[in-house]
Amino acid sequence: MPELMSEQHTLFIADLHLAADRPDITAAFLHFLRAQAIHADALYILGDLFEVWIGDDNPEPLLDTVATALATLSAQVPVYFIHGNRDFVLRQGYASRAGMQLLPQQQVINLFGTPTLIMHGDSLCTLDIAYQKFRKWWNQPWWQWLLLKTPIAYRQRLAAKARRKSAEHKARYASQQQPQIMDVTPDEVPKVMADAGVLKLIHGHTHRPTVHQLEVNGKAAQRYVLGDWYTQSSYLKVSASQWQLYFNAL
């Protein structure tokens, strides 16, 4: 179905995992900003914009490229950002350079009259005990402050180690045929939505894009899962008349 570019709409993306060794993803993202996001009323980035974030002081040229593109967009379209598990120490310095407004880990927004909860989504994966322990640790403000005080070379090594550990973690569950452990916990979703007072939830993190139908306090509800950008550019477009996930091959 062709998109109605004239209709007011809001866009949501997550899990781009931008990195210097994947220029195809960066190119797709820059095209998305110019061709799609510029026509939106707002753009929400729900975490893991970058494959890894070692601090706002990272001299990697990719950061400047992305900041410039986002700042150009934000001059006309509001851009909002929720931290993911890969870019959890992105700070106000870079957000200001990119023209992004930082949001808390969970936020209820009004989407054309519909209260909607948005988040990265990793907090919903409660069966992954090891990850949740790690998540609780790195969410401590004192630990983040201490990390950002270390030399950038040390943070680069730490980030490389974390990526290896993450890959091993996923492979271990896959080999045990327990990939569901790394997905959201079904019972956790309606609980979180009920606490927020919503019947719509948008999140990323799991890299399993689809629309889930469920019940929250006996009422029909929907959970929209955003896709990653490893092999495609994926986004959710929300208007007063339609909620639609889009996918474009890189």
Side-chain angles (χ1 to χ4, degrees):
M1 178 180 296
E3 296 185 58
L4 301 176
M5 298 306 297
S6 61
E7 187 178 18
Q8 289 187 321
H9 60 278
T10 300
L11 298 178
F12 298 84
I13 57 176
D15 302 295
L16 283 78
H17 297 272
L18 298 175
D21 60 356
R22 287 296 307 269
D24 54 332
I25 301 179
T26 301
F29 176 55
L30 298 180
H31 176 75
F32 169 79
L33 296 182
R34 295 190 301 266
Q36 303 293 338
I38 192 63
H39 300 290
D41 295 317
L43 171 65
Y44 287 84
I45 304 172
L46 304 188
D48 285 5
L49 175 60
F50 293 91
E51 173 69 8
V52 66
W53 189 266
I54 60 172
D56 291 12
D57 56 344
N58 185 356
E60 170 63 51
L62 173 63
L63 274 63
D64 288 332
T65 299
V66 173
T68 299
L70 284 171
T72 299
L73 174 67
S74 67
Q76 301 182 59
V77 177
V79 179
Y80 302 94
F81 180 84
I82 287 180
H83 293 92
N85 55 295
R86 298 297 185 98
D87 44 28
F88 63 92
V89 288
L90 190 151
R91 290 292 182 261
Q92 186 60 55
Y94 187 79
S96 296
R97 285 170 55 194
M100 300 189 300
Q101 300 180 49
L102 298 180
L103 297 179
Q105 293 182 1
Q106 298 186 22
Q107 179 76 38
V108 175
I109 61 175
N110 187 321
L111 277 178
F112 304 96
T114 301
T116 303
L117 177 62
I118 60 174
M119 61 173 65
H120 179 57
D122 56 332
S123 61
L124 300 171
C125 304
T126 57
L127 291 178
D128 192 347
I129 304 300
Y131 172 75
Q132 291 302 327
K133 287 181 178 179
F134 173 70
R135 184 178 184 275
K136 183 178 180 180
W137 175 266
W138 58 247
N139 262 318
Q140 298 295 325
W142 67 266
W143 187 87
Q144 295 184 9
W145 178 88
L146 184 63
L147 173 67
L148 293 173
K149 291 297 182 181
T150 61
I152 194 166
Y154 172 80
R155 282 177 268 151
Q156 289 172 330
R157 293 194 299 271
L158 190 64
K161 180 179 179 181
R163 292 175 69 180
R164 290 195 301 271
K165 290 289 187 181
S166 176
E168 292 168 1
H169 186 63
K170 293 177 182 178
R172 182 166 60 253
Y173 283 132
S175 66
Q176 296 171 353
Q177 297 184 341
Q178 294 179 307
Q180 72 278 6
I181 290 179
M182 300 182 67
D183 202 351
V184 305
T185 305
D187 292 343
E188 185 71 7
V189 176
K191 175 184 175 183
V192 169
M193 294 177 70
D195 289 344
V198 302
L199 297 176
K200 300 275 192 182
L201 166 64
I202 303 171
H203 72 82
H205 181 65
T206 63
H207 300 183
R208 299 178 180 183
T210 192
V211 182
H212 295 271
Q213 304 293 332
L214 65 148
E215 284 192 1
V216 175
N217 291 334
K219 298 180 180 179
Q222 292 79 41
R223 174 169 66 95
Y224 289 79
V225 185
L226 303 171
D228 64 78
W229 282 48
Y230 286 130
T231 60
Q232 65 200 355
S233 61
S234 173
Y235 62 95
L236 171 67
K237 177 184 175 183
V238 177
S239 67
S241 63
Q242 186 181 43
W243 291 52
Q244 181 66 50
L245 281 166
Y246 289 90
F247 307 94
N248 298 300
L250 292 182

